[in-house]
Structure formats: structure tokens, C-alpha cells
Amino acid sequence: MGTALQAAATHQPYFGHVEAYCVFKDREILQILTKPEYEAIADGDAALKGFSGKTQVAYVVANQHQLVQSLVLFYLPLDEQGYCLDGWQLPLHRLADTAGRGPNLGGGRIRLACQSQCSISWHEDSLWDPSTSTFVAVKKSIASAFDRLVEDMIGIAESSTEQSPIDDDVENLKRILRNEAATYRNQLQSLQQEIERQQLLNERLLRKEQRQTVSVENRIDLQVLRQQNQVLQQRVRELEVVNENLHAQMSVHPNTGTEDVNQDLIERMAQAEMLSVVFHAGVGHINLSSAQVEEYLEDPEAYAAHQVSLSKEQYLEWKGHHDRPRCQTCDGQIPIIADPSIFDPEIDVYCDQHKPV
């Protein structure tokens, strides 16, 4: 290291710091790149052999005492051959200059740019977070490769003094344009991601509102059903009172005929403006006025069949299927046809295997 520092002291262009690019794999540094080596890879002129995909790299700035000053932890996107993806750029110097404070690695707290601490929000997805072993590995690697890094910086400084001011301006302009283009691309990508995030959020809010609307409608339906149930219960209680009175009368007048009892019941219902409610399978609840009760009592099943536009015989055929849904051939279980109006007694009483073709 002494030779490199003596050489650095005799060359004014060397400004007392070195730059290195530590390539990680499984939390270990497998390779340290000098600035020219890294730029050749980033520009697509060379490949990083043995690496592919999102590769973890640490951009390190250290002083002449081998002490780390700045650290940027970023992903370098490589193809299967180890070449950097076309058009990729990241403003590492700007990220290092504007980074927040990190741990003390021997020369005071360093500047640290990582995913959870990024001064340029749209670049945070291009960075990664360190662990304690990351800092130990960086510090050890810089110490071991310091002489080579210093000689590289001296070579860069010497070559820069040989260039004309015009060449410097052109190179600086190219670098600025590349950085700005990369910044705009990253901003566009961030905006697209934000738009997609907003669209996803809007879809979630819409689904939530729809669920809330359905919930409100269900609550309203439940309230209506409860009210209807209360009305029906009240009517049932009234009918029970009428029935008790009729039984009491029959006990007092045992010779009273059934027809007289029915007629008396109908007259009492008419005076009380009451409805009678009966239930038949496949038809549901049937509301009967006092004038309809007598007709219903004459033949309840025929009356129920009439409600679904069927004859009594057709309704009874369906009811036999409903009460015992079995195949007429093998006696196997078959699906119930819940609607008697669509029941076909020549087909629906057989399983799939024995249905007539």
C-alpha cells in the first residue's frame, strides 16, 4: 500500500478517495470492480462472468485511509450471459451525495443509500437493504483491494489530464444526458406503477362498495320478512282463538253438523276481515279470503294444483316424485324437480342411466 500512496502523493489529479464496486452473491463479495471495469459492464461493452439476473452490487467511496465514506447498495440487471440490460442507468454519484446517515465504519457515520433509505423515491426498487455482515464484508474487501483501487484512480486522473477541455465537456455532456434519460425512464416507470396501484385500489374500493350495498339490501329484506312474519303470527293467533271458540261451541252443541261449523267459521273470518294461509309443496303459501276457504276445503289438492295451472292428477304425480325422488327402474336417488309446472312424468322419474332416449 505504501507504493500506491507514494505514487498518489506525486500526482495532483488524485483527490484522496477511491471508488469500488463490490459484487455480492449469497451475502459474500465474490468480485471487486474498479471504476473502468464497472463502466464497461454498465455500458454493455463487457460481461460480468458468472452472474445473471438481479445481481447485488455495492458502490463504495473510501478515503486515503481505507475508511468507507459512502455506500450505495443497488441491483445490477444482467442477462443470462452476464451483460447489463440495454438502457439501464442509475445515478450512483447523486444517490451517494444525497444519502442519509449509516453506521460508523471507523471514520464516522457513512452516507448510506439502500431500499429503505433512498433520497430519490422512484429509485428505491432498484436498491436493496443491508445486514450487519454486509458492512463487515465491504470494509474487509476495501482494505484487501485498496492498492489496486488507488492505482486505478491515479490512472483515471492521469488520463483525464491528457484530454482537452472540449473532450471533457463532451464526455460530461454525454454523461449528463445518459443520467437524465435514465432518470426520466425511471420516473415514467414509477408513474406507471402508481397508475396501476391506483387502478387496483379503485377496483378494491368498488368491490367493497358493492359488498356494502348487497349487505344493506339483505338487511332491508330481512326487516321486511320479519314484519311479514309478525303479521302472519298475529293472524295465526287470531285463527287459534276462533278455533278454540268453535271447539267450545261444539262441546256445548254436539249435534251441530260439520257444514254448519265450517260456515260459521267462514262467517266469523269475513266479519274479522281475516285471511287463511295454507301451504302446499311446489306451490308455496296460499292466502285464502273468507270467500275462498269453502272452495279450498272441498278439495285442497285440486285447489293447489289450479294455482300452478295443473290438474289434480298432474300435481299428485309430481308430489309422488317430490316425496320420494327415486328412479322408477333402479330405485336410485334422482334430483328433485322443485317446480311442478315443468315436471315431466315420463322422463323426470328416471336416473340418467335409465331415462328414455
Side-chain angles (χ1 to χ4, degrees), residues 157-197:
E158 289 178 344
S159 63
S160 64
T161 57
E162 296 175 357
Q163 294 180 346
S164 67
I166 295 178
D167 292 336
D168 289 341
D169 292 341
V170 171
E171 290 300 322
N172 288 334
L173 182 58
K174 288 181 179 179
R175 187 177 300 106
I176 292 172
L177 290 175
R178 284 198 302 268
N179 290 338
E180 288 183 351
T183 300
Y184 290 142
R185 282 194 298 271
N186 290 328
Q187 288 177 340
L188 179 60
Q189 182 180 2
S190 298
L191 288 174
Q192 290 174 340
Q193 291 174 349
E194 180 64 20
I195 291 172
E196 292 175 358
R197 190 182 72 84

Side-chain angles (χ1 to χ4, degrees), residues 104-323:
N104 187 341
L105 299 186
R109 296 181 64 183
I110 67 171
R111 290 187 177 276
L112 174 64
C114 57
Q115 188 175 61
S116 59
Q117 181 173 284
C118 181
S119 59
I120 307 175
S121 59
W122 55 85
H123 287 316
E124 62 183 18
D125 290 339
S126 299
L127 306 183
W128 53 279
D129 285 330
S131 62
T132 303
S133 62
T134 304
F135 301 113
V136 174
V138 167
K139 185 176 180 180
K140 181 178 179 181
S141 297
I142 292 299
S144 63
F146 193 74
D147 282 354
R148 181 169 68 90
L149 296 171
V150 169
E151 292 174 356
D152 175 74
M153 295 302 296
I154 293 174
I156 294 174
E158 289 178 344
S159 63
S160 64
T161 57
E162 296 175 357
Q163 294 180 346
S164 67
I166 295 178
D167 292 336
D168 289 341
D169 292 341
V170 171
E171 290 300 322
N172 288 334
L173 182 58
K174 288 181 179 179
R175 187 177 300 106
I176 292 172
L177 290 175
R178 284 198 302 268
N179 290 338
E180 288 183 351
T183 300
Y184 290 142
R185 282 194 298 271
N186 290 328
Q187 288 177 340
L188 179 60
Q189 182 180 2
S190 298
L191 288 174
Q192 290 174 340
Q193 291 174 349
E194 180 64 20
I195 291 172
E196 292 175 358
R197 190 182 72 84
Q198 289 295 335
Q199 289 176 341
L200 179 60
L201 180 61
N202 290 338
E203 292 175 359
R204 289 178 178 173
L205 289 175
L206 180 60
R207 287 196 295 268
K208 183 177 180 181
E209 290 176 356
Q210 291 174 343
R211 288 196 299 270
Q212 291 175 344
T213 301
V214 171
S215 178
V216 171
E217 291 176 350
N218 289 339
R219 287 199 298 270
I220 294 174
D221 292 342
L222 183 59
Q223 292 175 355
V224 172
L225 290 174
R226 286 175 177 171
Q227 293 172 355
Q228 292 176 348
N229 186 49
Q230 290 176 356
V231 173
L232 290 174
Q233 288 179 352
Q234 179 64 28
R235 290 177 177 173
V236 169
R237 285 194 293 269
E238 292 173 352
L239 287 173
E240 288 175 348
V241 172
V242 173
N243 188 45
E244 289 174 0
N245 292 335
L246 289 174
H247 279 289
Q249 289 183 8
M250 290 180 67
S251 63
V252 175
H253 306 285
N255 296 326
T256 302
T258 304
E259 293 181 358
D260 294 337
V261 173
N262 289 342
Q263 187 63 34
D264 186 55
L265 173 61
I266 292 171
E267 290 177 358
R268 286 175 176 271
M269 289 178 62
Q271 292 174 359
E273 296 182 353
M274 295 174 55
L275 290 176
S276 179
V277 181
V278 295
F279 176 84
H280 284 267
V283 181
H285 290 89
I286 306 173
N287 295 328
L288 301 174
S289 66
S290 58
Q292 295 170 324
V293 170
E294 187 173 3
E295 180 185 355
Y296 172 79
L297 292 175
E298 290 179 358
D299 195 337
E301 291 180 336
Y303 191 93
H306 179 71
Q307 303 303 308
V308 289
S309 302
L310 295 177
S311 67
K312 179 180 178 180
E313 290 73 17
Q314 291 173 324
Y315 177 72
L316 290 176
E317 283 182 334
W318 170 85
K319 194 169 185 304
H321 156 75
H322 176 270
D323 295 342

